[in-house]
Amino acid sequence: MNKIISKRHFSEKVVELVVEAPLIAKSRRAGHFVIVRADEHGERIPLTIADSDVTAGTITLVVQAVGKSSAKICSKEAGECLHDVVGPLGQATHIQNVGTVVCCGGGVGVAPLLPIIRAMKAAGNRVVSVLAGRTKDLIILEDEVRASSDEVVIMTDDGSYGKKGLITNGVEEVILREKVDQVVTIGPAVMMKFVALLTKKYEIPTVCSLNTIMVDGTGMCGACRVTVGGRTKFVCIDGPEFDAHQVDFDEMMMRLHAYDNDNK
């Protein structure tokens, strides 16, 4: 059992949970994720660790209610417990000083992007963060991102905050005005696909973090498989981060929608 220390609402369907998990807090690095169950009968949900506090022994998770299982996790209140939290899992982000890094996140993708932004900045990079959402209300963790970025560009579909346009508009704006050495993108699969198409045109190395359907999280079940560079990879053990120019996003999106009817 992992006790929820605090809960914060970002929107009606997106919450931040600070959860007791001292061993995970001590060993996690940027890019790592956990698998969570709300109760003993709950589905296993993969969630990237947005933050941790080693002293307090806590990790921070951002959860969006999409289906029944994620909604059950979001309904938990401070003082209640998650049945289990397993991790850290996956491969940590490869962090090095490459120069200028554009970190772009859409919606709840900003949560797993935050530790990468912090790590890239700590490594000495110039970090330009591009945050995107359909409306102002869907831009999350802005203050935290600003604290570790040299510049923040905000894009909203409806123009209610920042600049009106898609995340690719914001990324291209930066590319056209200065040399960009690397791009990191996290968000909906379709967003990452078009960021990858954009950066491939400009020949900029790009890393994406994939959030596929997972079951066991150890590479045994094969549920999270994706095609990268023509070869099968497992997001839970080989990822979650891959060369975005090599990912077959169309296949991945098809697999992500396999259980849509079961979530209704």
Side-chain angles (χ1 to χ4, degrees):
M1 293 288 198
N2 297 79
K3 185 177 180 181
I4 298 170
I5 304 303
S6 66
K7 178 180 182 179
R8 174 168 57 146
H9 282 271
F10 288 130
S11 66
E12 180 185 357
K13 293 188 175 183
V14 180
V15 300
E16 176 192 81
L17 301 176
V18 176
V19 180
E20 277 188 347
L23 295 179
I24 298 175
K26 185 176 180 180
S27 57
R28 76 98 197 183
R29 292 166 57 197
H32 279 146
F33 68 94
V34 293
I35 288 184
V36 179
R37 286 197 303 163
D39 54 46
E40 63 178 329
H41 302 295
E43 184 182 9
R44 295 161 60 84
I45 303 294
L47 298 168
T48 307
I49 303 168
D51 201 359
S52 66
D53 186 326
V54 176
T55 302
T58 60
I59 60 173
T60 300
L61 306 174
V62 175
V63 193
Q64 181 176 18
V66 177
K68 295 177 183 177
S69 298
S70 53
K72 189 178 290 186
I73 294 173
C74 288
S75 70
K76 294 278 188 177
E77 299 293 340
E80 296 185 297
C81 292
L82 298 170
H83 190 270
D84 48 60
V85 179
V86 178
L89 300 172
Q91 302 294 322
T93 306
H94 179 64
I95 302 293
Q96 61 180 340
N97 188 340
V98 296
T100 296
V101 180
V102 172
C103 296
C104 55
V108 293
V110 176
L113 188 67
L114 179 59
I116 297 174
I117 291 170
R118 288 172 170 163
M120 286 293 187
K121 184 60 181 172
N125 293 287
R126 167 173 161 76
V127 177
V128 180
S129 298
V130 183
L131 311 184
R134 291 192 304 274
T135 67
K136 179 180 180 180
D137 292 341
L138 297 178
I139 301 294
I140 67 171
L141 298 168
E142 180 185 348
D143 291 342
E144 291 85 346
V145 169
R146 287 191 182 278
S148 298
S149 305
D150 293 280
E151 181 184 353
V152 175
V153 177
I154 295 179
M155 308 295 299
T156 51
D157 292 2
D158 63 359
S160 57
Y161 190 48
K163 299 179 180 180
K164 183 175 182 178
L166 301 175
I167 197 165
T168 47
N169 300 129
V171 173
E172 188 165 34
E173 175 186 301
V174 179
I175 292 172
L176 292 175
R177 75 168 192 234
E178 62 182 284
K179 182 179 183 295
V180 174
D181 299 287
Q182 185 178 346
V183 171
V184 179
T185 180
I186 307 180
V190 67
M191 183 209 87
M192 294 189 288
K193 172 186 175 179
F194 282 99
V195 169
L197 289 172
L198 173 69
T199 58
K200 188 173 184 178
K201 180 176 73 173
Y202 291 105
E203 300 182 339
I204 300 171
T206 301
V207 174
C208 62
S209 180
L210 306 183
N211 188 7
T212 53
I213 296 168
M214 289 189 192
V215 179
D216 72 293
T218 63
M220 296 178 66
C221 72
C224 68
R225 65 186 182 275
V226 291
T227 301
V228 182
R231 301 180 64 184
T232 297
K233 297 288 185 179
F234 298 108
V235 173
C236 64
I237 56 172
D238 298 318
E241 296 175 6
F242 297 95
D243 180 343
H245 298 159
Q246 298 296 315
V247 174
D248 186 337
F249 284 105
D250 292 332
E251 177 193 63
M252 174 184 162
M253 287 187 283
M254 180 180 66
R255 290 179 56 78
L256 282 172
H257 292 296
Y259 300 101
D260 280 358
N261 291 333
D262 295 328
N263 284 327
K264 293 180 181 178

